[in-house]
Amino acid sequence: MDSSVSTHLVSQLPLEREDQKDHGDSFLHPPFLQKESFVPKNFIWPKGDLVVAHDELREPIVDLGGFFRGDLVATQHAVLLIRAACLNHGFFQVTNHGVDPRLVKMAYHHMDNFFKLPASMKLRAKRTPGNMWGYSGAHADRFSSKLPWKETLSFGFHDSGSKPVVEDFFKSNLGMDFEQTGVVYQKYCEAMKDVALAIMELLAISLGVHPLHYKHFFQDGSSIMRCNYYPPCKEPGLAFGTGPHCDPTSLTILHQDQVGGLEVFANNKWRNVRPRPDALVVNIGDTFMALSNGRYKSCLHRAVVNRYKERRSLAFFLCPREDKLVRPPEDLVCRDGTSAYPDFTWSDLLYFTQYHYRADDATLPNFTKWLLSSKSASDL
């Protein structure tokens, strides 16, 4: 897509929707910071969404050790497990991924330190309208209903040579006292990027395309890191930590603590994902669904809250460079040259989800309609 079309798309985005206004004091004092004993109306979800999951997801546990050692038999076994998962529900877990468990522990330690700060301190890193990065209390700066029962801290990551972008984020937003926090998360993001690119090789092999196709595509990407903190909720049957949605990004790599709460909609049922301290949970997002020409599906998932315990998770979202054209490799395109989705850039989809649409299970088809409509209007 040329730059004139992309500029037109951005100009068509509403600057502020009713459910995306900054609600001022409600952002400063979400109920879980006040420790209220009830769930306010704007945190309550419709009964149709609040179906309880009773079964466990039987997702594959993929051992990456053989792939990293260059063991062809073990690699092929991993490929088959990943292919089966991605054709079914798009979720799997990986072990022997090479991430130092001490680094994971340190990431949780620094996350705990941040979320235990007084609200006034956390708000020094407050996410501002039009900015993806920073602290958010229940996303009340963006929405007014079906709010998630959580606090988040989000920041970007990309390989910029000598500039440590994550370290700079913490120092510029929270001061030099958080320099070491920035160092830890810089290392964590680098480790997640390495795992993500390895998984991209396995995904390519499983789809029958050149093994390095997707790895090269994402090598210079601009990814997203998010720390999630879910406080205890007195009425967990009324609220969600994160509501049902598909990730608009390409690949999500999640480490969840042992409290649990991640649930996936598979085979027409909500199923919980068992926490494994030595594993990372991986799922396909909408952008990779387009890159696979619809062969692999992004999957509906959510996070529930706990009445008695806080829950934390570390989520790394692999994304391409924002101006890179999202298009499946020729090996996956139909004989007539058509694709399941029109070409787009990650920046197009990012703007759509940040300003025009709240991510759910139909983000990609609705984005496609919007994109085609906007492109037609720009051609007039």
Side-chain angles (χ1 to χ4, degrees):
M1 181 177 297
D2 62 36
S3 59
S4 63
V5 173
S6 188
T7 301
H8 171 78
L9 291 176
V10 175
S11 69
Q12 297 304 303
L13 294 169
L15 294 178
E16 183 177 65
R17 281 175 43 187
E18 180 59 32
D19 65 345
Q20 290 180 313
K21 292 180 181 179
D22 190 333
H23 297 279
D25 288 345
S26 66
F27 174 84
L28 301 178
H29 303 290
F32 39 76
L33 292 181
Q34 300 175 26
K35 303 189 184 304
E36 293 178 358
S37 59
F38 65 94
V39 175
K41 182 179 178 180
N42 54 341
F43 284 84
I44 296 176
W45 283 70
K47 288 184 179 179
D49 290 329
L50 295 166
V51 179
V52 177
H54 296 290
D55 300 326
E56 183 178 316
L57 182 70
R58 301 297 182 183
E59 79 284 8
I61 309 299
V62 182
D63 187 337
L64 296 183
F67 169 75
F68 287 128
R69 293 193 305 269
D71 184 326
L72 296 181
V73 174
T75 296
Q76 188 58 34
H77 180 63
V79 165
L80 292 175
L81 290 176
I82 288 174
R83 177 176 173 79
C86 293
L87 290 174
N88 187 7
H89 46 62
F91 266 79
F92 54 95
Q93 298 204 46
V94 295
T95 57
N96 292 317
H97 40 67
V99 181
D100 190 336
R102 292 173 297 181
L103 179 58
V104 177
K105 185 177 181 179
M106 284 176 20
Y108 276 113
H109 171 73
H110 284 274
M111 176 167 61
D112 291 342
N113 287 345
F114 174 80
F115 286 116
K116 288 176 182 176
L117 290 171
S120 59
M121 286 287 290
K122 288 184 281 192
L123 288 169
R124 286 164 56 183
K126 175 184 175 182
R127 170 181 167 153
T128 56
N131 187 358
M132 283 195 63
W133 317 132
Y135 166 77
S136 174
H139 295 329
D141 56 325
R142 296 186 61 208
F143 307 114
S144 60
S145 63
K146 297 192 293 185
L147 294 180
W149 194 266
K150 69 176 179 179
E151 297 176 74
T152 61
L153 180 65
S154 306
F155 44 93
F157 169 76
H158 57 85
D159 298 319
S160 60
S162 59
K163 186 178 180 182
V165 292
V166 178
E167 290 182 43
D168 287 352
F169 168 83
F170 279 92
K171 286 190 289 187
S172 62
N173 285 276
L174 292 165
M176 291 304 295
D177 288 345
F178 287 83
E179 182 178 15
Q180 187 57 32
T181 302
V183 171
V184 168
Y185 283 120
Q186 180 79 29
K187 292 179 179 178
Y188 188 86
C189 289
E190 290 168 355
M192 290 299 110
K193 177 73 174 288
D194 288 342
V195 176
L197 292 182
I199 292 170
M200 280 297 159
E201 285 192 56
L202 295 170
L203 285 168
I205 297 169
S206 74
L207 285 164
V209 303
H210 191 284
L212 299 181
H213 176 86
Y214 293 122
K215 181 177 181 178
H216 289 162
F217 184 84
F218 287 100
Q219 192 77 54
D220 59 353
S222 299
S223 297
I224 302 166
M225 180 70 204
R226 179 167 296 153
C227 301
N228 297 307
Y229 172 73
Y230 303 90
C233 179
K234 297 292 185 180
E235 299 180 276
L238 298 179
F240 283 125
T242 302
H245 69 286
C246 295
D247 294 337
T249 49
S250 298
L251 192 75
T252 303
I253 303 180
L254 179 83
H255 191 282
Q256 59 173 338
D257 67 11
Q258 296 307 291
V259 174
L262 175 62
E263 297 180 348
V264 175
F265 193 72
N267 301 320
N268 296 314
K269 281 187 178 181
W270 283 105
R271 303 169 189 271
N272 60 73
V273 179
R274 182 193 301 181
R276 300 176 184 271
D278 62 336
L280 298 169
V281 183
V282 180
N283 71 270
I284 299 298
D286 289 334
T287 302
F288 193 82
M289 184 173 171
L291 285 168
S292 71
N293 204 27
R295 305 283 182 89
Y296 289 171
K297 311 294 191 238
S298 56
C299 187
L300 194 63
H301 57 285
R302 66 189 187 185
V304 298
V305 286
N306 191 289
R307 182 187 299 271
Y308 306 105
K309 297 179 180 179
E310 63 184 14
R311 175 180 179 258
R312 305 111 77 230
S313 67
L314 298 160
F316 180 84
F317 303 96
L318 182 71
C319 310
R321 198 180 67 226
E322 291 185 0
D323 62 349
K324 186 166 284 189
L325 205 61
V326 175
R327 174 190 292 167
E330 291 184 5
D331 292 343
L332 300 182
V333 175
C334 300
R335 289 184 179 180
D336 61 2
T338 59
S339 299
Y341 306 97
D343 294 347
F344 62 91
T345 64
W346 167 234
S347 62
D348 293 333
L349 180 54
L350 184 62
Y351 274 115
F352 180 71
T353 57
Q354 291 299 305
Y355 295 98
H356 197 68
Y357 191 84
R358 186 171 183 170
D360 59 13
D361 60 338
T363 302
L364 191 55
N366 281 309
F367 167 69
T368 298
K369 293 176 185 176
W370 176 82
L371 184 70
L372 293 174
S373 174
S374 300
K375 187 174 182 180
S376 296
S378 70
D379 291 338
L380 295 178

